[in-house]
Amino acid sequence: MSYCVNCGVELEKTQKRCPLCNTPVINPNETEITTEIPPYPTDNVVVVERKLRRMTALLITIILFVPFLLCPLCDFLITGRLTWSVYTMLSIELGWIYIVPPILLKHNTVMKCAWIDYFSTIIFLYGINMIFAPENNWALEIAFPILSYLMAVVLIYAVLARRFNISVLVYIATGFVFVAVMSLLIEYIINSYNNISGGFVWAVPVMISCLGVALILIVISKMTKLKALIKKIMHI
């Protein structure tokens, strides 16, 4: 085994130059090897990673496909029709959508998966609503506005991450603001769905608490010395 005379890095017998400093390798005691065998894998790392992703997605699909077939079979043999297994089958389908696309997608994975999960969840909840409780349109009146708000939050975070250099504390503070608004939205939607008159009740203290925490985090983010002290104490 040779070592570079310039930087001391360990060298393979087939290497003619140091991979670190590009110094020519000269070792009269080493037998020259005519057939060069590269000391690194010949397969493209990207190709190997792509194959690994496909195999992982296929394995997950096979694992989820087994209960997808067994549950309705057991349900039909016990009850003579499909009852509880419908929930299971739809849930397995939704779980597959949550897990497999992030493994297979290449570019803009977060946003693509966010849109896929958004529409898939809406369809899933609407299907459950129409199959088991068509008289109560809770999927469109409750679930749809809440999911739409969460999707809007994801889009806002994506814009902030791409166009602005914001500290972690400000990101967390923004999250608390979104939770405060969401608490008001949820109580308003539930009251409208149940035809309950009156103002906000439980959402107000939640909103005040979240906004207070957000304000504290923003103030801390502006204080350089205090922020450095917190990082030192928390080992971050």
Side-chain angles (χ1 to χ4, degrees):
M1 186 62 68
S2 302
Y3 297 90
C4 178
V5 295
N6 183 44
C7 63
V9 71
E10 189 175 356
L11 305 172
E12 294 288 342
K13 293 182 179 180
T14 59
Q15 291 178 312
K16 302 300 182 182
R17 288 182 174 274
C18 175
L20 186 62
C21 64
N22 203 34
T23 301
V25 177
I26 301 174
N27 189 348
N29 296 326
E30 287 286 352
T31 303
E32 184 177 357
I33 300 176
T34 55
T35 305
E36 294 188 1
I37 302 175
Y40 45 81
T42 56
D43 292 339
N44 192 330
V45 177
V46 177
V47 175
V48 173
E49 182 181 356
R50 188 180 302 120
K51 291 180 180 179
L52 181 60
R53 286 174 175 268
R54 291 176 180 174
M55 290 300 298
T56 304
L58 179 61
L59 179 62
I60 294 173
T61 302
I62 294 174
I63 292 174
L64 293 178
F65 190 67
V66 173
F68 183 83
L69 292 180
L70 289 179
C71 288
L73 178 61
C74 295
D75 188 13
F76 184 78
L77 292 177
I78 295 173
T79 63
R81 59 195 182 93
L82 298 181
T83 55
W84 56 268
S85 61
V86 177
Y87 288 102
T88 307
M89 295 170 64
L90 293 177
S91 300
I92 291 174
E93 290 180 3
L94 187 64
W96 184 90
I97 294 174
Y98 284 165
I99 298 172
V100 175
I103 298 176
L104 297 177
L105 292 176
K106 300 176 183 178
H107 307 291
N108 297 325
T109 304
V110 175
M111 290 308 305
K112 289 180 181 178
C113 291
W115 283 112
I116 293 173
D117 294 345
Y118 169 68
F119 288 111
S120 301
T121 305
I122 290 176
I123 295 173
F124 167 78
L125 295 176
Y126 184 75
I128 294 293
N129 187 183
M130 292 297 102
I131 293 173
F132 297 100
E135 67 279 1
N136 299 322
N137 196 13
W138 55 265
L140 294 179
E141 295 183 16
I142 296 179
F144 178 72
I146 294 176
L147 290 173
S148 299
Y149 174 77
L150 292 176
M151 187 62 203
V153 171
V154 173
L155 294 176
I156 292 174
Y157 268 118
V159 173
L160 292 177
R162 289 183 178 181
R163 299 188 178 184
F164 301 97
N165 186 15
I166 301 177
S167 65
V168 177
L169 290 177
V170 176
Y171 272 116
I172 298 175
T174 307
F176 277 101
V177 174
F178 287 140
V179 173
V181 176
M182 186 175 181
S183 63
L184 297 175
L185 176 65
I186 291 176
E187 185 171 9
Y188 173 77
I189 292 172
I190 293 176
N191 291 342
S192 299
Y193 179 76
N194 295 320
N195 295 321
I196 299 175
S197 59
F200 298 100
V201 181
W202 60 266
V204 175
V206 174
M207 180 193 67
I208 295 175
S209 301
C210 291
L211 293 179
V213 174
L215 181 60
I216 293 173
L217 291 175
I218 293 175
V219 172
I220 293 176
S221 67
K222 300 299 181 180
M223 301 173 65
T224 307
K225 293 184 179 179
L226 180 59
K227 185 168 60 175
L229 179 61
I230 293 175
K231 287 184 178 180
K232 183 178 180 180
I233 295 175
M234 302 299 294
H235 301 284
I236 57 177

